[in-house]
PDB file of all heavy atoms in Angstrom:
ATOM      1  N   ARG G  51     226.879  73.135 312.939  1.00 97.00           N
ATOM      2  CA  ARG G  51     227.518  73.025 311.624  1.00 97.00           C
ATOM      3  C   ARG G  51     226.515  73.411 310.458  1.00 97.00           C
ATOM      4  O   ARG G  51     226.934  73.359 309.270  1.00 97.00           O
ATOM      5  CB  ARG G  51     227.810  71.441 311.448  1.00 97.00           C
ATOM      6  CG  ARG G  51     229.035  71.120 312.132  1.00 97.00           C
ATOM      7  CD  ARG G  51     229.315  69.617 311.992  1.00 97.00           C
ATOM      8  NE  ARG G  51     230.584  69.328 312.712  1.00 97.00           N
ATOM      9  CZ  ARG G  51     231.575  68.671 312.189  1.00 97.00           C
ATOM     10  NH1 ARG G  51     231.464  68.273 310.987  1.00 97.00           N
ATOM     11  NH2 ARG G  51     232.655  68.412 312.827  1.00 97.00           N
ATOM     12  N   PRO G  57     231.973  86.210 311.889  1.00 93.00           N
ATOM     13  CA  PRO G  57     232.379  87.471 312.315  1.00 93.00           C
ATOM     14  C   PRO G  57     231.746  88.729 311.625  1.00 93.00           C
ATOM     15  O   PRO G  57     230.962  88.464 310.648  1.00 93.00           O
ATOM     16  CB  PRO G  57     233.916  87.503 311.950  1.00 93.00           C
ATOM     17  CG  PRO G  57     234.253  86.109 311.789  1.00 93.00           C
ATOM     18  CD  PRO G  57     233.053  85.406 311.158  1.00 93.00           C
ATOM     19  N   ALA G  59     231.595  90.865 309.108  1.00 94.00           N
ATOM     20  CA  ALA G  59     232.308  91.142 307.942  1.00 94.00           C
ATOM     21  C   ALA G  59     231.409  90.680 306.753  1.00 94.00           C
ATOM     22  O   ALA G  59     231.357  89.528 306.341  1.00 94.00           O
ATOM     23  CB  ALA G  59     233.625  90.366 307.846  1.00 94.00           C
ATOM     24  N   LEU G  62     233.067  89.188 303.710  1.00 97.00           N
ATOM     25  CA  LEU G  62     233.373  87.800 303.996  1.00 97.00           C
ATOM     26  C   LEU G  62     232.121  86.864 303.892  1.00 97.00           C
ATOM     27  O   LEU G  62     232.283  85.786 303.227  1.00 97.00           O
ATOM     28  CB  LEU G  62     233.980  87.697 305.435  1.00 97.00           C
ATOM     29  CG  LEU G  62     234.101  86.318 306.010  1.00 97.00           C
ATOM     30  CD1 LEU G  62     235.276  85.632 305.405  1.00 97.00           C
ATOM     31  CD2 LEU G  62     234.244  86.362 307.542  1.00 97.00           C
ATOM     32  N   LEU G  70     231.784  78.172 299.713  1.00 98.00           N
ATOM     33  CA  LEU G  70     230.966  77.115 300.204  1.00 98.00           C
ATOM     34  C   LEU G  70     230.096  76.514 299.067  1.00 98.00           C
ATOM     35  O   LEU G  70     229.912  75.294 298.921  1.00 98.00           O
ATOM     36  CB  LEU G  70     229.985  77.647 301.375  1.00 98.00           C
ATOM     37  CG  LEU G  70     230.591  77.760 302.736  1.00 98.00           C
ATOM     38  CD1 LEU G  70     229.711  78.671 303.589  1.00 98.00           C
ATOM     39  CD2 LEU G  70     230.870  76.517 303.395  1.00 98.00           C
ATOM     40  N   ALA G  72     230.592  76.639 295.783  1.00 98.00           N
ATOM     41  CA  ALA G  72     231.424  75.941 294.799  1.00 98.00           C
ATOM     42  C   ALA G  72     231.766  74.569 295.334  1.00 98.00           C
ATOM     43  O   ALA G  72     232.017  73.591 294.525  1.00 98.00           O
ATOM     44  CB  ALA G  72     232.684  76.696 294.505  1.00 98.00           C
ATOM     45  N   GLU G  73     231.822  74.404 296.648  1.00 98.00           N
ATOM     46  CA  GLU G  73     232.167  73.140 297.199  1.00 98.00           C
ATOM     47  C   GLU G  73     230.909  72.289 297.484  1.00 98.00           C
ATOM     48  O   GLU G  73     230.962  71.183 298.103  1.00 98.00           O
ATOM     49  CB  GLU G  73     232.882  73.207 298.538  1.00 98.00           C
ATOM     50  CG  GLU G  73     234.405  73.574 298.345  1.00 98.00           C
ATOM     51  CD  GLU G  73     235.131  72.267 297.650  1.00 98.00           C
ATOM     52  OE1 GLU G  73     234.960  71.218 298.269  1.00 98.00           O
ATOM     53  OE2 GLU G  73     235.787  72.436 296.677  1.00 98.00           O
ATOM     54  N   GLN G  93     231.734  90.626 295.693  1.00 98.00           N
ATOM     55  CA  GLN G  93     231.741  89.181 295.575  1.00 98.00           C
ATOM     56  C   GLN G  93     230.526  88.785 294.676  1.00 98.00           C
ATOM     57  O   GLN G  93     230.528  87.773 294.010  1.00 98.00           O
ATOM     58  CB  GLN G  93     231.608  88.548 296.976  1.00 98.00           C
ATOM     59  CG  GLN G  93     233.007  88.602 297.628  1.00 98.00           C
ATOM     60  CD  GLN G  93     233.982  87.618 296.901  1.00 98.00           C
ATOM     61  OE1 GLN G  93     233.573  86.588 296.415  1.00 98.00           O
ATOM     62  NE2 GLN G  93     235.317  88.080 296.939  1.00 98.00           N
ATOM     63  N   HIS G  97     231.972  87.603 291.257  1.00 98.00           N
ATOM     64  CA  HIS G  97     232.077  86.230 291.414  1.00 98.00           C
ATOM     65  C   HIS G  97     230.839  85.366 291.387  1.00 98.00           C
ATOM     66  O   HIS G  97     230.661  84.445 290.604  1.00 98.00           O
ATOM     67  CB  HIS G  97     233.003  85.905 292.691  1.00 98.00           C
ATOM     68  CG  HIS G  97     234.344  86.398 292.693  1.00 98.00           C
ATOM     69  ND1 HIS G  97     235.328  85.913 291.845  1.00 98.00           N
ATOM     70  CD2 HIS G  97     234.873  87.528 293.211  1.00 98.00           C
ATOM     71  CE1 HIS G  97     236.430  86.560 291.857  1.00 98.00           C
ATOM     72  NE2 HIS G  97     236.277  87.567 292.777  1.00 98.00           N
ATOM     73  N   ASN G 103     229.390  80.850 284.634  1.00 97.00           N
ATOM     74  CA  ASN G 103     229.642  81.237 283.269  1.00 97.00           C
ATOM     75  C   ASN G 103     231.181  81.202 282.972  1.00 97.00           C
ATOM     76  O   ASN G 103     231.522  80.669 281.918  1.00 97.00           O
ATOM     77  CB  ASN G 103     229.142  82.767 283.047  1.00 97.00           C
ATOM     78  CG  ASN G 103     229.347  83.228 281.625  1.00 97.00           C
ATOM     79  OD1 ASN G 103     230.251  84.051 281.391  1.00 97.00           O
ATOM     80  ND2 ASN G 103     228.547  82.750 280.739  1.00 97.00           N
ATOM     81  N   ARG G 104     231.956  81.673 283.930  1.00 95.00           N
ATOM     82  CA  ARG G 104     233.343  81.732 283.534  1.00 95.00           C
ATOM     83  C   ARG G 104     234.059  80.424 283.649  1.00 95.00           C
ATOM     84  O   ARG G 104     235.107  80.249 283.130  1.00 95.00           O
ATOM     85  CB  ARG G 104     234.051  82.845 284.272  1.00 95.00           C
ATOM     86  CG  ARG G 104     234.050  82.694 285.810  1.00 95.00           C
ATOM     87  CD  ARG G 104     234.608  83.973 286.419  1.00 95.00           C
ATOM     88  NE  ARG G 104     235.943  84.242 285.977  1.00 95.00           N
ATOM     89  CZ  ARG G 104     237.043  84.100 286.804  1.00 95.00           C
ATOM     90  NH1 ARG G 104     236.838  83.681 288.024  1.00 95.00           N
ATOM     91  NH2 ARG G 104     238.255  84.328 286.398  1.00 95.00           N
ATOM     92  N   ARG G 106     232.483  77.769 282.596  1.00 95.00           N
ATOM     93  CA  ARG G 106     231.631  76.931 281.620  1.00 95.00           C
ATOM     94  C   ARG G 106     230.895  75.926 282.306  1.00 95.00           C
ATOM     95  O   ARG G 106     230.768  74.722 281.819  1.00 95.00           O
ATOM     96  CB  ARG G 106     232.586  76.283 280.551  1.00 95.00           C
ATOM     97  CG  ARG G 106     233.615  77.233 279.940  1.00 95.00           C
ATOM     98  CD  ARG G 106     233.106  78.665 279.570  1.00 95.00           C
ATOM     99  NE  ARG G 106     232.596  78.792 278.328  1.00 95.00           N
ATOM    100  CZ  ARG G 106     232.001  79.843 277.844  1.00 95.00           C
ATOM    101  NH1 ARG G 106     231.598  80.728 278.692  1.00 95.00           N
ATOM    102  NH2 ARG G 106     231.577  79.997 276.560  1.00 95.00           N
ATOM    103  N   ARG G 108     231.434  74.402 285.051  1.00 95.00           N
ATOM    104  CA  ARG G 108     232.185  73.435 285.861  1.00 95.00           C
ATOM    105  C   ARG G 108     231.981  73.746 287.434  1.00 95.00           C
ATOM    106  O   ARG G 108     231.773  72.797 288.180  1.00 95.00           O
ATOM    107  CB  ARG G 108     233.689  73.526 285.549  1.00 95.00           C
ATOM    108  CG  ARG G 108     234.641  72.576 286.297  1.00 95.00           C
ATOM    109  CD  ARG G 108     236.128  72.775 285.872  1.00 95.00           C
ATOM    110  NE  ARG G 108     236.699  74.084 286.122  1.00 95.00           N
ATOM    111  CZ  ARG G 108     237.152  74.459 287.197  1.00 95.00           C
ATOM    112  NH1 ARG G 108     237.308  73.611 288.176  1.00 95.00           N
ATOM    113  NH2 ARG G 108     237.694  75.636 287.291  1.00 95.00           N
ATOM    114  N   LEU G 143     222.221  86.908 287.805  1.00 98.00           N
ATOM    115  CA  LEU G 143     221.637  86.919 289.125  1.00 98.00           C
ATOM    116  C   LEU G 143     220.139  86.716 289.044  1.00 98.00           C
ATOM    117  O   LEU G 143     219.572  86.962 288.016  1.00 98.00           O
ATOM    118  CB  LEU G 143     221.906  88.264 289.892  1.00 98.00           C
ATOM    119  CG  LEU G 143     223.181  88.501 290.596  1.00 98.00           C
ATOM    120  CD1 LEU G 143     222.941  89.761 291.375  1.00 98.00           C
ATOM    121  CD2 LEU G 143     223.639  87.326 291.555  1.00 98.00           C
ATOM    122  N   ARG G 144     219.545  86.271 290.143  1.00 98.00           N
ATOM    123  CA  ARG G 144     218.121  86.344 290.247  1.00 98.00           C
ATOM    124  C   ARG G 144     217.884  87.364 291.455  1.00 98.00           C
ATOM    125  O   ARG G 144     218.557  87.433 292.472  1.00 98.00           O
ATOM    126  CB  ARG G 144     217.480  84.976 290.595  1.00 98.00           C
ATOM    127  CG  ARG G 144     217.322  84.094 289.428  1.00 98.00           C
ATOM    128  CD  ARG G 144     216.384  82.957 289.748  1.00 98.00           C
ATOM    129  NE  ARG G 144     215.914  82.470 288.455  1.00 98.00           N
ATOM    130  CZ  ARG G 144     216.586  81.681 287.556  1.00 98.00           C
ATOM    131  NH1 ARG G 144     217.840  81.302 287.927  1.00 98.00           N
ATOM    132  NH2 ARG G 144     216.007  81.309 286.459  1.00 98.00           N
ATOM    133  N   ASP G 166     221.284  78.575 290.972  1.00 98.00           N
ATOM    134  CA  ASP G 166     222.019  79.807 290.658  1.00 98.00           C
ATOM    135  C   ASP G 166     221.769  80.825 291.801  1.00 98.00           C
ATOM    136  O   ASP G 166     220.900  80.710 292.530  1.00 98.00           O
ATOM    137  CB  ASP G 166     221.574  80.416 289.322  1.00 98.00           C
ATOM    138  CG  ASP G 166     222.081  79.443 288.134  1.00 98.00           C
ATOM    139  OD1 ASP G 166     223.275  79.229 288.055  1.00 98.00           O
ATOM    140  OD2 ASP G 166     221.169  79.052 287.367  1.00 98.00           O
ATOM    141  N   LEU G 242     212.700  88.800 284.436  1.00 98.00           N
ATOM    142  CA  LEU G 242     211.406  89.398 284.502  1.00 98.00           C
ATOM    143  C   LEU G 242     210.404  88.725 283.640  1.00 98.00           C
ATOM    144  O   LEU G 242     210.650  88.423 282.423  1.00 98.00           O
ATOM    145  CB  LEU G 242     211.525  90.820 284.051  1.00 98.00           C
ATOM    146  CG  LEU G 242     210.266  91.732 284.085  1.00 98.00           C
ATOM    147  CD1 LEU G 242     209.648  91.835 285.428  1.00 98.00           C
ATOM    148  CD2 LEU G 242     210.520  93.045 283.501  1.00 98.00           C
ATOM    149  N   ARG G 276     210.256  98.389 278.561  1.00 98.00           N
ATOM    150  CA  ARG G 276     209.817  97.192 277.922  1.00 98.00           C
ATOM    151  C   ARG G 276     208.338  97.481 277.417  1.00 98.00           C
ATOM    152  O   ARG G 276     207.932  96.937 276.325  1.00 98.00           O
ATOM    153  CB  ARG G 276     209.860  95.998 278.736  1.00 98.00           C
ATOM    154  CG  ARG G 276     211.333  95.553 278.991  1.00 98.00           C
ATOM    155  CD  ARG G 276     211.489  94.147 279.609  1.00 98.00           C
ATOM    156  NE  ARG G 276     212.772  94.011 280.205  1.00 98.00           N
ATOM    157  CZ  ARG G 276     213.248  92.892 280.539  1.00 98.00           C
ATOM    158  NH1 ARG G 276     212.657  91.771 280.324  1.00 98.00           N
ATOM    159  NH2 ARG G 276     214.411  92.774 281.156  1.00 98.00           N
TER     160      ARG G 276
ATOM    161  N   SER B 118     238.922  78.764 281.230  1.00 92.00           N
ATOM    162  CA  SER B 118     238.635  78.443 282.682  1.00 92.00           C
ATOM    163  C   SER B 118     237.847  77.190 282.839  1.00 92.00           C
ATOM    164  O   SER B 118     237.387  76.950 283.936  1.00 92.00           O
ATOM    165  CB  SER B 118     237.891  79.709 283.269  1.00 92.00           C
ATOM    166  OG  SER B 118     238.748  80.751 283.324  1.00 92.00           O
ATOM    167  N   ALA B 119     237.658  76.432 281.773  1.00 90.00           N
ATOM    168  CA  ALA B 119     236.809  75.243 281.923  1.00 90.00           C
ATOM    169  C   ALA B 119     237.568  74.128 282.612  1.00 90.00           C
ATOM    170  O   ALA B 119     236.941  73.177 283.193  1.00 90.00           O
ATOM    171  CB  ALA B 119     236.216  74.836 280.604  1.00 90.00           C
ATOM    172  N   PRO B 125     239.308  69.329 289.172  1.00 88.00           N
ATOM    173  CA  PRO B 125     238.149  69.940 288.700  1.00 88.00           C
ATOM    174  C   PRO B 125     237.525  70.919 289.713  1.00 88.00           C
ATOM    175  O   PRO B 125     236.564  71.697 289.346  1.00 88.00           O
ATOM    176  CB  PRO B 125     237.259  68.619 288.633  1.00 88.00           C
ATOM    177  CG  PRO B 125     237.849  67.640 289.485  1.00 88.00           C
ATOM    178  CD  PRO B 125     239.350  68.024 289.479  1.00 88.00           C
ATOM    179  N   ARG B 126     237.998  71.004 290.921  1.00 94.00           N
ATOM    180  CA  ARG B 126     237.391  71.921 291.824  1.00 94.00           C
ATOM    181  C   ARG B 126     238.236  73.157 292.008  1.00 94.00           C
ATOM    182  O   ARG B 126     237.794  74.097 292.666  1.00 94.00           O
ATOM    183  CB  ARG B 126     237.156  71.273 293.258  1.00 94.00           C
ATOM    184  CG  ARG B 126     236.275  69.983 293.131  1.00 94.00           C
ATOM    185  CD  ARG B 126     235.382  69.898 294.302  1.00 94.00           C
ATOM    186  NE  ARG B 126     234.310  70.845 294.193  1.00 94.00           N
ATOM    187  CZ  ARG B 126     233.191  70.567 293.536  1.00 94.00           C
ATOM    188  NH1 ARG B 126     232.967  69.432 292.927  1.00 94.00           N
ATOM    189  NH2 ARG B 126     232.191  71.548 293.435  1.00 94.00           N
ATOM    190  N   ASP B 127     239.404  73.129 291.394  1.00 97.00           N
ATOM    191  CA  ASP B 127     240.224  74.449 291.530  1.00 97.00           C
ATOM    192  C   ASP B 127     239.540  75.613 290.921  1.00 97.00           C
ATOM    193  O   ASP B 127     238.770  75.526 289.903  1.00 97.00           O
ATOM    194  CB  ASP B 127     241.607  74.186 290.804  1.00 97.00           C
ATOM    195  CG  ASP B 127     242.579  73.418 291.552  1.00 97.00           C
ATOM    196  OD1 ASP B 127     242.118  72.903 292.672  1.00 97.00           O
ATOM    197  OD2 ASP B 127     243.748  73.314 291.104  1.00 97.00           O
ATOM    198  N   ILE B 130     241.535  81.654 287.662  1.00 95.00           N
ATOM    199  CA  ILE B 130     242.347  82.707 288.074  1.00 95.00           C
ATOM    200  C   ILE B 130     241.473  83.918 288.568  1.00 95.00           C
ATOM    201  O   ILE B 130     240.213  83.963 288.098  1.00 95.00           O
ATOM    202  CB  ILE B 130     243.339  83.243 286.966  1.00 95.00           C
ATOM    203  CG1 ILE B 130     242.624  83.925 285.890  1.00 95.00           C
ATOM    204  CG2 ILE B 130     244.230  82.172 286.478  1.00 95.00           C
ATOM    205  CD1 ILE B 130     242.692  85.433 285.902  1.00 95.00           C
ATOM    206  N   SER B 136     240.292  88.815 296.141  1.00 96.00           N
ATOM    207  CA  SER B 136     238.922  88.331 296.444  1.00 96.00           C
ATOM    208  C   SER B 136     238.869  86.853 296.495  1.00 96.00           C
ATOM    209  O   SER B 136     237.954  86.238 297.043  1.00 96.00           O
ATOM    210  CB  SER B 136     237.957  88.893 295.375  1.00 96.00           C
ATOM    211  OG  SER B 136     238.408  88.626 294.143  1.00 96.00           O
ATOM    212  N   HIS B 140     236.847  83.074 298.934  1.00 98.00           N
ATOM    213  CA  HIS B 140     236.473  81.735 298.440  1.00 98.00           C
ATOM    214  C   HIS B 140     237.109  80.552 299.072  1.00 98.00           C
ATOM    215  O   HIS B 140     236.637  79.547 299.397  1.00 98.00           O
ATOM    216  CB  HIS B 140     236.697  81.730 296.893  1.00 98.00           C
ATOM    217  CG  HIS B 140     236.237  82.971 296.146  1.00 98.00           C
ATOM    218  ND1 HIS B 140     236.790  83.382 295.015  1.00 98.00           N
ATOM    219  CD2 HIS B 140     235.207  83.777 296.487  1.00 98.00           C
ATOM    220  CE1 HIS B 140     236.063  84.451 294.634  1.00 98.00           C
ATOM    221  NE2 HIS B 140     235.082  84.704 295.442  1.00 98.00           N
ATOM    222  N   LEU B 150     233.217  71.408 307.855  1.00 98.00           N
ATOM    223  CA  LEU B 150     231.832  70.979 308.122  1.00 98.00           C
ATOM    224  C   LEU B 150     231.531  69.499 307.761  1.00 98.00           C
ATOM    225  O   LEU B 150     230.843  68.825 308.462  1.00 98.00           O
ATOM    226  CB  LEU B 150     230.754  71.841 307.353  1.00 98.00           C
ATOM    227  CG  LEU B 150     230.708  73.246 307.894  1.00 98.00           C
ATOM    228  CD1 LEU B 150     229.755  74.108 306.946  1.00 98.00           C
ATOM    229  CD2 LEU B 150     230.197  73.449 309.265  1.00 98.00           C
ATOM    230  N   ARG B 151     232.255  69.063 306.745  1.00 98.00           N
ATOM    231  CA  ARG B 151     232.020  67.723 306.287  1.00 98.00           C
ATOM    232  C   ARG B 151     233.151  66.814 306.866  1.00 98.00           C
ATOM    233  O   ARG B 151     233.184  65.665 306.521  1.00 98.00           O
ATOM    234  CB  ARG B 151     232.102  67.657 304.767  1.00 98.00           C
ATOM    235  CG  ARG B 151     230.992  68.275 304.196  1.00 98.00           C
ATOM    236  CD  ARG B 151     230.781  67.962 302.715  1.00 98.00           C
ATOM    237  NE  ARG B 151     229.496  68.285 302.131  1.00 98.00           N
ATOM    238  CZ  ARG B 151     229.342  68.971 301.079  1.00 98.00           C
ATOM    239  NH1 ARG B 151     230.372  69.456 300.446  1.00 98.00           N
ATOM    240  NH2 ARG B 151     228.174  69.348 300.645  1.00 98.00           N
ATOM    241  N   ASP B 152     234.032  67.291 307.742  1.00 97.00           N
ATOM    242  CA  ASP B 152     235.028  66.506 308.323  1.00 97.00           C
ATOM    243  C   ASP B 152     235.873  65.858 307.208  1.00 97.00           C
ATOM    244  O   ASP B 152     236.306  64.707 307.299  1.00 97.00           O
ATOM    245  CB  ASP B 152     234.608  65.334 309.214  1.00 97.00           C
ATOM    246  CG  ASP B 152     233.898  65.877 310.473  1.00 97.00           C
ATOM    247  OD1 ASP B 152     234.437  66.942 310.977  1.00 97.00           O
ATOM    248  OD2 ASP B 152     232.760  65.431 310.772  1.00 97.00           O
ATOM    249  N   ARG B 155     240.781  67.546 303.626  1.00 98.00           N
ATOM    250  CA  ARG B 155     241.126  68.286 302.386  1.00 98.00           C
ATOM    251  C   ARG B 155     241.487  69.705 302.863  1.00 98.00           C
ATOM    252  O   ARG B 155     241.181  70.163 303.906  1.00 98.00           O
ATOM    253  CB  ARG B 155     239.971  68.448 301.418  1.00 98.00           C
ATOM    254  CG  ARG B 155     239.497  67.032 300.816  1.00 98.00           C
ATOM    255  CD  ARG B 155     238.106  67.222 300.156  1.00 98.00           C
ATOM    256  NE  ARG B 155     238.097  68.089 299.015  1.00 98.00           N
ATOM    257  CZ  ARG B 155     237.139  68.847 298.637  1.00 98.00           C
ATOM    258  NH1 ARG B 155     236.069  68.880 299.263  1.00 98.00           N
ATOM    259  NH2 ARG B 155     237.266  69.605 297.566  1.00 98.00           N
ATOM    260  N   GLU B 173     239.712  89.662 306.338  1.00 97.00           N
ATOM    261  CA  GLU B 173     238.474  89.000 306.713  1.00 97.00           C
ATOM    262  C   GLU B 173     238.562  87.427 306.597  1.00 97.00           C
ATOM    263  O   GLU B 173     238.096  86.686 307.338  1.00 97.00           O
ATOM    264  CB  GLU B 173     237.280  89.556 305.889  1.00 97.00           C
ATOM    265  CG  GLU B 173     237.001  90.973 306.295  1.00 97.00           C
ATOM    266  CD  GLU B 173     235.791  91.432 305.571  1.00 97.00           C
ATOM    267  OE1 GLU B 173     234.806  90.627 305.258  1.00 97.00           O
ATOM    268  OE2 GLU B 173     235.647  92.734 305.232  1.00 97.00           O
ATOM    269  N   GLU B 327     234.649  80.886 269.780  1.00 91.00           N
ATOM    270  CA  GLU B 327     233.281  80.375 269.994  1.00 91.00           C
ATOM    271  C   GLU B 327     232.268  81.258 269.289  1.00 91.00           C
ATOM    272  O   GLU B 327     232.557  82.439 268.980  1.00 91.00           O
ATOM    273  CB  GLU B 327     232.936  80.539 271.487  1.00 91.00           C
ATOM    274  CG  GLU B 327     233.748  79.671 272.429  1.00 91.00           C
ATOM    275  CD  GLU B 327     233.342  79.934 273.885  1.00 91.00           C
ATOM    276  OE1 GLU B 327     233.610  81.111 274.289  1.00 91.00           O
ATOM    277  OE2 GLU B 327     232.841  79.039 274.535  1.00 91.00           O
ATOM    278  N   ASP B 334     225.698  80.954 277.065  1.00 92.00           N
ATOM    279  CA  ASP B 334     225.832  79.669 277.633  1.00 92.00           C
ATOM    280  C   ASP B 334     226.187  79.802 279.091  1.00 92.00           C
ATOM    281  O   ASP B 334     227.043  80.654 279.502  1.00 92.00           O
ATOM    282  CB  ASP B 334     226.880  78.835 276.875  1.00 92.00           C
ATOM    283  CG  ASP B 334     226.500  78.515 275.428  1.00 92.00           C
ATOM    284  OD1 ASP B 334     225.311  78.619 275.217  1.00 92.00           O
ATOM    285  OD2 ASP B 334     227.310  78.213 274.707  1.00 92.00           O
ATOM    286  N   TYR B 337     222.819  80.911 283.404  1.00 96.00           N
ATOM    287  CA  TYR B 337     222.129  80.278 284.510  1.00 96.00           C
ATOM    288  C   TYR B 337     222.135  78.811 284.111  1.00 96.00           C
ATOM    289  O   TYR B 337     222.565  78.388 283.036  1.00 96.00           O
ATOM    290  CB  TYR B 337     220.656  80.697 284.570  1.00 96.00           C
ATOM    291  CG  TYR B 337     220.425  82.205 284.786  1.00 96.00           C
ATOM    292  CD1 TYR B 337     220.503  83.198 283.685  1.00 96.00           C
ATOM    293  CD2 TYR B 337     220.168  82.692 286.140  1.00 96.00           C
ATOM    294  CE1 TYR B 337     220.246  84.450 284.054  1.00 96.00           C
ATOM    295  CE2 TYR B 337     219.913  84.033 286.312  1.00 96.00           C
ATOM    296  CZ  TYR B 337     219.966  84.900 285.288  1.00 96.00           C
ATOM    297  OH  TYR B 337     219.756  86.360 285.525  1.00 96.00           O
ATOM    298  N   GLU B 338     221.589  77.963 285.048  1.00 96.00           N
ATOM    299  CA  GLU B 338     221.546  76.545 284.606  1.00 96.00           C
ATOM    300  C   GLU B 338     220.690  76.399 283.292  1.00 96.00           C
ATOM    301  O   GLU B 338     220.946  75.761 282.410  1.00 96.00           O
ATOM    302  CB  GLU B 338     220.942  75.729 285.700  1.00 96.00           C
ATOM    303  CG  GLU B 338     220.963  74.251 285.434  1.00 96.00           C
ATOM    304  CD  GLU B 338     220.302  73.412 286.561  1.00 96.00           C
ATOM    305  OE1 GLU B 338     219.062  73.417 286.547  1.00 96.00           O
ATOM    306  OE2 GLU B 338     221.046  72.785 287.318  1.00 96.00           O
ATOM    307  N   GLU B 343     213.368  85.317 278.918  1.00 88.00           N
ATOM    308  CA  GLU B 343     213.447  86.712 278.464  1.00 88.00           C
ATOM    309  C   GLU B 343     214.727  86.998 277.682  1.00 88.00           C
ATOM    310  O   GLU B 343     214.896  87.996 277.069  1.00 88.00           O
ATOM    311  CB  GLU B 343     213.308  87.624 279.687  1.00 88.00           C
ATOM    312  CG  GLU B 343     214.482  87.521 280.651  1.00 88.00           C
ATOM    313  CD  GLU B 343     214.696  88.670 281.598  1.00 88.00           C
ATOM    314  OE1 GLU B 343     213.678  89.483 281.614  1.00 88.00           O
ATOM    315  OE2 GLU B 343     215.554  88.732 282.406  1.00 88.00           O
TER     316      GLU B 343
END
Side-chain angles (χ1 to χ4, degrees):
Chain G
R51 283 177 178 234
L62 169 74
L70 283 164
E73 277 294 307
Q93 284 294 325
H97 294 292
N103 182 258
R104 62 192 297 255
R106 313 318 262 168
R108 181 174 64 84
L143 277 189
R144 279 194 159 79
D166 291 303
L242 178 64
R276 293 194 199 192
Chain B
S118 293
R126 305 219 72 89
D127 278 5
I130 69 105
S136 55
H140 310 151
L150 289 174
R151 292 194 168 126
D152 294 318
R155 298 164 65 211
E173 293 186 28
E327 294 174 298
D334 294 342
Y337 298 87
E338 189 184 71
E343 69 165 2

